[in-house]
Amino acid sequence: MSEPLFPDLDPNTVTHGDRRGRGAGLNMASRYDRQFSHATYDGWHREEATPTRTRVQVDKSRTILAQNRSPDVPFDRSINPYRGCEHGCIYCFARPTHAHLGLSPGLDFETRLFAKPDAATLLAGTLARASYRPETIAIGTNTDPYQPVEKRWQIMRQILDVLWEHRHPVSITTKGSLVIRDADILGRMGRAGLATVAISLTTLDNSLSRAMEPRAGAPRRRIAAIRMLAQAGVPVTVNLSPVVPGLTDHEIERLVQAAAEAGARYASSIALRLPQEVAPLFREWLAREAPDRAAKVMARVREMHGGQDYDSRWFHRMRGEGVYADILRRRFELARKRHGLSDRGPALRTDLFQVPPRAGDQLTLGL
């Protein structure tokens, strides 16, 4: 007896057509959901699945600055122009945040996005408060501000305009080549000591990049972004993030060298971390895209995290521990020093901060 044309589907599995150009092969229910659906073949003809389209909804948040109290990150405030990220990086530690919206950290995270078109207006109002005290605002710490939908929404550009008007410092992390669109204003801010940009590099292998981070900028375009930003006067950091043991770790030296030759002045590195739903998503991706290395990769990951897929302890979660983690750190440090890159970005200025006058404001008379 022949096998059925359409065998029962795993309730979480995304069909090949649905995931074309996407990272996640699963769309598991949110961990907060009380109801679960199960897709199965009922014997009727089923048309071939079509690629899932990106949908963007407006986020009507009333505040824009997120406060951070994590002791192992160097900032206390951040802005996320978007929720969800179309880049679709399978390893993205921000995927679990979509569960708070009642959506899946899987395919939903990269296809059901939320944009904050009022972000610049909200930011200007926050900066104008008499109680506000300037410190560097981090952007790109959760989802990428230069993901593809930014080309149409241009929220990040509006935010930068407000920050420049106020002479407010900003630190940006991205793997989107769209950042070069804003090289003009970032260059002005960089030369004034008000901006830094970190470009995340994971691999120089185009095929691996397409599979692992399908809608992010290609490696060569990220290298080009480093070069263009540096030439514009922006202090650029290369962020080897994440280093995937058994998959991308052999590229550490080449990545640092390529970034240094393009003009990066600083370098940082973060080990792969797989919090909550990211772990099963990553394991499924490995089995699908790199079955010959899947066992080795996960063995290395667990070796770095005390036998687990992830260890959330402060100062450990982004570094790992053990012999293998130490070897990766030593290799990175040697490469960084060999190419003259600092491990700390420049201190940005807060003394230039000013609230520009608005229409109707009473101006101070010079005496």
Side-chain angles (χ1 to χ4, degrees):
M1 183 175 180
S2 62
E3 294 183 359
L5 182 62
F6 297 112
D8 283 357
L9 299 175
D10 183 287
N12 294 326
T13 300
V14 179
T15 64
H16 175 72
D18 291 336
R19 68 169 182 260
R20 193 179 306 155
R22 305 294 180 177
L26 300 175
N27 206 38
M28 74 276 283
S30 159
R31 60 185 178 278
Y32 301 115
D33 285 353
R34 295 184 178 180
Q35 296 181 335
F36 302 87
S37 61
H38 181 87
T40 187
Y41 173 58
D42 61 4
W44 291 88
H45 174 69
R46 184 178 66 188
E47 295 183 358
E48 183 180 352
T50 56
T52 302
R53 297 186 180 278
T54 301
R55 290 179 286 172
V56 184
Q57 295 176 249
V58 172
D59 184 316
K60 288 292 187 180
S61 297
R62 296 182 180 180
T63 60
I64 194 60
L65 279 188
Q67 299 299 314
N68 169 66
R69 294 181 178 82
S70 301
D72 57 353
V73 294
F75 58 87
D76 68 354
R77 65 199 71 181
S78 63
I79 293 175
N80 294 301
Y82 302 95
R83 294 187 182 189
C85 187
E86 197 177 7
H87 281 159
C89 304
I90 191 59
Y91 51 71
C92 182
F93 67 87
R95 283 182 177 272
T97 62
H98 241 43
H100 297 291
L101 304 174
L103 297 171
S104 172
L107 191 64
D108 283 350
F109 177 79
E110 47 193 288
T111 60
R112 298 184 64 178
L113 313 180
F114 296 81
K116 302 178 183 180
D118 297 330
T121 301
L122 292 170
L123 177 60
T126 299
L127 300 185
R129 294 174 184 167
S131 60
Y132 182 78
R133 296 294 179 268
E135 291 292 343
T136 299
I137 293 175
I139 305 181
T141 59
N142 197 42
T143 56
D144 202 311
Y146 287 105
Q147 57 181 289
V149 293
E150 165 64 15
K151 186 174 182 179
R152 176 167 64 92
W153 288 82
Q154 299 191 40
I155 298 172
M156 186 61 186
R157 179 68 192 206
Q158 297 169 34
I159 290 173
L160 289 177
D161 285 337
V162 171
L163 293 172
W164 174 241
E165 289 175 357
H166 289 75
R167 301 300 189 266
H168 195 292
V170 63
S171 174
I172 299 167
T173 300
T174 183
K175 55 171 65 73
S177 57
L178 184 58
V179 67
I180 63 176
R181 178 201 65 188
D182 296 336
D184 57 340
I185 189 169
L186 287 171
R188 291 197 298 271
M189 296 183 73
R191 292 189 298 272
L194 293 170
T196 63
V197 174
I199 301 293
S200 296
L201 274 179
T202 50
T203 179
L204 296 176
D205 183 326
N206 288 322
S207 296
L208 179 57
S209 180
R210 280 195 300 272
M212 191 166 57
E213 39 200 23
R215 300 199 178 197
R220 60 177 177 79
R221 298 190 68 182
R222 291 184 229 176
I223 296 295
I226 292 174
R227 181 175 294 107
M228 294 180 69
L229 291 171
Q231 291 173 348
V234 183
V236 181
T237 297
V238 59
N239 185 11
L240 273 59
S241 174
V243 175
V244 184
L247 197 62
T248 68
D249 53 346
H250 65 285
E251 297 187 71
I252 288 176
E253 291 80 6
R254 292 175 57 216
L255 290 167
V256 173
Q257 179 180 354
E261 291 175 350
R265 293 160 51 187
Y266 311 92
S268 62
S269 177
I270 298 176
L272 176 69
R273 49 180 172 146
L274 302 173
Q276 296 173 320
E277 292 93 344
V278 185
L281 285 166
F282 186 75
R283 290 197 303 267
E284 187 278 336
W285 178 88
L286 272 176
R288 170 166 41 91
E289 298 290 343
D292 58 324
R293 287 174 283 179
K296 175 183 177 181
V297 171
M298 290 310 302
R300 292 295 194 192
V301 168
R302 290 165 183 149
E303 179 184 339
M304 296 169 63
H305 295 286
Q308 307 175 74
D309 288 351
Y310 179 61
D311 186 336
S312 62
R313 287 178 295 159
W314 303 126
F315 303 102
H316 169 87
R317 54 185 184 152
M318 292 184 280
R319 291 168 51 87
E321 63 184 8
V323 174
Y324 194 71
D326 290 342
I327 290 173
L328 294 184
R329 277 195 292 273
R330 286 199 297 270
R331 285 177 53 201
F332 169 74
E333 287 299 318
L334 287 171
R336 178 184 64 77
K337 293 176 181 177
R338 182 182 306 120
H339 294 285
L341 302 184
S342 173
D343 61 346
R344 294 181 183 274
L348 298 180
R349 299 183 64 176
T350 59
D351 59 307
L352 300 178
F353 177 73
Q354 61 182 17
V355 178
R358 301 181 182 181
D361 287 353
Q362 182 174 349
L363 301 181
T364 302
L365 296 176
L367 298 179

